[in-house]
Amino acid sequence: MILIGALLATCAGTAAVLASRPPSMIRRRLAQLSPRPVAKSRIRSVLITHELSRSGLGWSEIDLLRAKVVAALVAAAAVAVVGLAIPIGAAFAIAAAYAGFVAPTVYVERAASRCRADAERALVALVEWTEALVASGRPVETALVAVAERGVGSVLVDAALAAASRSYALGAPLFRALGREGSAVGLTTLARFAVELERTRDLGRGALTVLRDERERLRASERARTLDAAGHVEGRLMLVLVLCYLPALMMLVVIPLFLGLLDGLFV
């Protein structure tokens, strides 16, 4: 026991001496050059929506914060001006400022939703063009690079294809880079498509069968999405009819006719 205690005391003393030594010049230089992990701020996650990079607006985080502050000030000022004529409480100004502060975030999220919808439709064109080029005899990697140079008309898909093409030009595997970029922009369909192509290549199978299967699946998905959107048209048209046309019909036709009949009865 005495021997073990002495050994542990020696180890502790050695560790204390090593810990008290200042780091060398080389270690300090390496610490300055090495990237430091950026901790996620809770306040930043509340103020900045994660959909900003996927919205296609080209806004930075500073631009979004500036828009939120300006919208909040404008809304509060508008309510304050109204309050000069109509006596309203300060709660309305606070509510208006909050609504103005939240409005840019809602706008960014809706823009991101539209970009995702456009990207889902553009994936059909991506797979169809790639399948046509591969069927004509091109390798699938060359076909994807050619489609990336032309673009498919979607901000998210074009950005992912361009980034994957640049990585491929630098020597990175194209399918893996495409899957990584698809996951980064939130396009799970594109990432899964890249994984399927990589698995097909590893198994030594032709990519044409995978492209045709993916084309048919995307066409069926787009057809189902179109039918679902068409199913909501009737309800929206009925809403427009009830809220717009029927009140106009009542004001311009029914009520004047009814008043004319009443006037004729009592004359």
Side-chain angles (χ1 to χ4, degrees):
M1 294 296 294
I2 297 176
L3 182 61
I4 295 176
L7 182 61
L8 293 177
T10 304
C11 292
T14 304
V17 171
L18 293 176
S20 62
R21 292 178 57 188
S24 63
M25 182 64 69
I26 297 177
R27 180 174 296 180
R28 288 199 297 269
R29 292 291 180 85
L30 291 176
Q32 293 176 357
L33 295 176
S34 61
R36 298 179 180 179
V38 179
K40 291 185 178 180
S41 174
R42 183 172 299 180
I43 299 178
R44 179 174 175 272
S45 63
V46 171
L47 296 179
I48 305 299
T49 176
H50 65 279
E51 299 287 351
L52 180 61
S53 59
R54 306 172 185 175
S55 62
L57 298 175
W59 289 6
S60 63
E61 295 181 356
I62 300 299
D63 294 333
L64 179 58
L65 286 176
R66 188 182 297 116
K68 292 169 77 70
V69 172
V70 170
L73 293 177
V74 169
V79 174
V81 170
V82 174
L84 296 177
I86 303 174
I88 56 177
F92 288 94
I94 296 175
Y98 176 75
F101 191 79
V102 173
T105 301
V106 176
Y107 176 71
V108 168
E109 291 178 351
R110 290 188 176 181
S113 178
R114 290 193 299 268
C115 281
R116 281 195 299 270
D118 293 339
E120 292 294 335
R121 289 190 292 268
L123 286 176
V124 181
L126 169 64
V127 175
E128 287 179 347
W129 293 356
T130 306
E131 187 268 337
L133 291 175
V134 172
S136 65
R138 284 196 182 187
V140 63
E141 291 87 354
T142 308
L144 284 173
V145 171
V147 174
E149 293 176 355
R150 177 181 176 85
V152 293
S154 171
V155 176
L156 295 180
V157 177
D158 290 343
L161 288 174
S165 298
R166 289 192 297 267
S167 300
Y168 180 66
L170 294 175
L174 178 61
F175 301 144
R176 192 171 302 173
L178 185 60
R180 182 178 64 252
E181 296 297 332
S183 300
V185 297
L187 296 177
T188 56
T189 305
L190 181 60
R192 182 178 50 79
F193 173 60
V195 170
E196 289 293 333
L197 288 177
E198 186 176 10
R199 184 182 296 113
T200 301
R201 184 197 58 190
D202 294 340
L203 294 176
R205 297 167 51 193
L208 191 58
T209 304
V210 176
L211 289 171
R212 287 174 177 172
D213 293 342
E214 187 69 17
R215 180 194 62 187
E216 296 301 326
R217 192 192 66 80
L218 289 176
R219 283 180 177 177
S221 177
E222 183 65 23
R223 191 180 303 112
R225 191 182 302 112
T226 303
L227 292 176
D228 181 69
H232 292 83
V233 172
E234 182 179 358
R236 294 177 181 176
L237 289 178
M238 185 63 66
L239 186 64
V240 172
L241 178 64
V242 171
L243 295 180
C244 298
Y245 289 102
L246 288 183
L249 180 64
M250 293 291 293
M251 294 294 294
L252 298 177
V253 178
V254 178
I255 294 179
L257 180 61
F258 182 71
L259 293 177
L261 291 176
L262 289 179
D263 189 32
L265 290 176
F266 291 102
V267 171

